[in-house]
Amino acid sequence: MSASTDIFRLLDVQKTYDVGRAAPSLFARARRRRLAALDGVRLSLKAGESLALVGESGSGKTTLLRVLLGLTAPTDGLALFREKEISALKGEERERFSREVALIYQDARASLNPRLSVLDLVAEPLDHHGLCARHERRERAAALLARVGLPAEMLGRYPSALSGGQVRRVAIARALASNPSVLVADEAVSGLDVSTQAQLLTLLRDLKRDIGVSLVFITHDLGVASYLCERIAVMYLGRIVETGPTREVLTAPAHPYTRALLRASPKFFAPIADPLPGEIPSPVDLPRGCRFAGRCAQAQDDCRAIDPVLSAAGTAREASTREFACLHPLIEGRSSLASVGLHAK
């Protein structure tokens, strides 16, 4: 499929921050260290596709989300929306971007103004983008509530009178109001009981199927990712270390970090899972070679000398949908292509 069908494309995106206190002298400033929150991320999202971003806290998911939403510009590389640089969008193009890309916040209740009724909250994007006449807003808002499984009588309520599940549904209705082409959801079902989570995940899956919206779902829950998204990208310390069809990746992970995440995930009627072994390296003082080598049971000598980059799996003649950054992948008979992409630090 050609790049022209990509809604989002990230090309070697880096985002770094200075760390440490400002110093009065030039010599002291020269010693200031830099933290790479994102380090050479390559990723794409196609029309109608659902993509899960997974990884431990501190893996870079939130920074990647901010780059996708245009809330922060990359330090290096390109972040593109419909082949236009997101950070350079201005005027009408920026308005179109804000209408097409809608965010469902992790803390849905905090994202809603408690002084506004559900009617005004859901209709606010309609008013802002001029999508309907004033006398039509109530009918449009009621239709949006119906789409997320809430009755029209909710329009007169305020967020404080809603349950956790109802607040999430209102937030989804509000996100849908601008008729977006992409929904970005940040841990959108976390903190809810299992039955409510299941209802909201089914709602999001049905919305994707019925209206063809693309979905980027940030989560630490591999079960949620497998249920909702057809493609998955696993992040570790600012990089994507494995990506591909969700079922394939979770059934037969190629990267040891992906397997470790699976083993650490809680399962019904099973003992509490063990956490991932070892300590996460400091992002301002990364080790030489593969940044996961110190926690990896499969690590060999070359893993501590060579830093693998994300590259395709298989042979040069195969069209692979799997990519991973590992010198010794767990998939038998599969190796990372692009050995030229491996570099010693």
Side-chain angles (χ1 to χ4, degrees):
M1 197 173 290
S2 66
S4 62
T5 63
D6 292 334
I7 295 181
F8 279 111
R9 276 208 302 155
L10 303 183
L11 303 175
D12 297 319
V13 165
Q14 297 200 26
K15 183 62 184 180
T16 59
Y17 298 95
D18 288 329
V19 296
R21 295 182 178 180
S25 70
L26 291 175
F27 177 75
R29 277 197 294 269
R31 294 199 305 266
R32 180 181 292 179
R33 295 184 295 176
R34 297 179 71 82
L35 184 153
L38 297 177
D39 188 7
V41 171
R42 295 184 182 183
L43 191 65
S44 65
L45 179 74
K46 301 186 183 301
E49 187 176 43
S50 54
L51 171 68
L53 290 173
V54 303
E56 295 172 283
S57 297
S59 61
K61 302 188 301 295
T62 298
T63 304
L64 183 55
L65 171 67
R66 291 179 59 82
V67 169
L68 286 176
L69 295 174
L71 300 176
T72 188
T75 307
D76 200 2
L78 290 174
L80 305 175
F81 174 75
R82 300 194 186 280
E83 297 305 298
K84 295 184 178 180
E85 194 170 351
I86 297 171
S87 60
L89 297 176
K90 306 292 182 185
E92 291 184 3
E93 288 185 337
R94 186 70 191 189
E95 276 294 304
R96 179 191 173 190
F97 176 80
S98 66
R99 187 171 65 250
E100 284 203 58
V101 181
L103 173 64
I104 304 171
Y105 291 86
Q106 179 176 359
D107 190 345
R109 193 178 297 277
S111 74
L112 302 178
N113 188 334
R115 299 183 179 181
L116 296 182
S117 67
V118 170
L119 169 60
D120 290 331
L121 288 168
V122 174
E124 192 172 32
L126 299 174
D127 299 337
H128 176 78
H129 295 293
L131 298 177
C132 71
R134 185 76 181 177
H135 67 275
E136 297 175 336
R137 66 197 299 268
R138 186 177 186 86
E139 181 180 349
R140 290 283 294 274
L144 287 164
L145 286 190
R147 175 168 281 175
V148 299
L150 292 176
E153 66 188 43
M154 290 276 186
L155 291 173
R157 296 189 186 180
Y158 290 80
S160 60
L162 304 179
S163 69
Q166 289 170 339
V167 165
R168 304 292 173 102
R169 290 176 186 269
V170 169
I172 294 171
R174 176 183 166 89
L176 293 174
S178 62
N179 194 27
S181 57
V182 182
L183 282 178
V184 180
D186 183 13
E187 299 281 7
V189 298
S190 63
L192 299 173
D193 63 78
V194 174
S195 61
T196 305
Q197 283 191 29
Q199 292 169 11
L200 289 174
L201 290 172
T202 300
L203 169 62
L204 289 170
R205 192 175 66 173
D206 290 347
L207 286 171
K208 178 187 174 298
R209 180 196 62 212
D210 296 341
I211 65 179
V213 67
S214 301
L215 179 66
V216 179
F217 199 90
I218 291 89
T219 183
H220 65 277
D221 190 324
L222 296 179
V224 168
S226 65
Y227 178 80
L228 189 60
C229 297
E230 59 202 19
R231 195 158 66 91
I232 192 170
V234 182
M235 295 194 70
Y236 183 71
L237 280 177
R239 284 187 178 171
I240 293 174
V241 297
E242 183 165 5
T243 184
T246 305
R247 181 168 297 182
E248 289 184 26
V249 170
L250 298 185
T251 300
H255 199 284
Y257 177 63
T258 307
R259 183 177 67 178
L261 285 179
L262 284 164
R263 289 179 172 177
S265 297
K267 298 175 178 63
F268 286 114
F269 310 113
I272 296 176
D274 292 329
L276 270 67
E279 295 292 331
I280 301 175
S282 168
V284 297
D285 189 21
L286 290 170
R288 186 167 177 259
C290 175
R291 56 194 64 190
F292 187 63
R295 306 175 72 191
C296 180
Q298 310 291 127
Q300 300 181 31
D301 289 343
D302 55 351
C303 298
R304 297 177 176 85
I306 299 174
D307 185 15
V309 297
L310 191 71
S311 50
T315 68
R317 295 182 180 180
E318 290 179 348
S320 177
T321 58
R322 298 285 299 274
E323 292 182 310
F324 47 82
C326 184
L327 298 179
H328 305 286
L330 302 174
I331 303 176
E332 292 185 9
R334 305 293 288 276
S335 61
S336 182
L337 288 180
S339 58
V340 294
L342 306 177
H343 55 278
K345 276 189 167 181

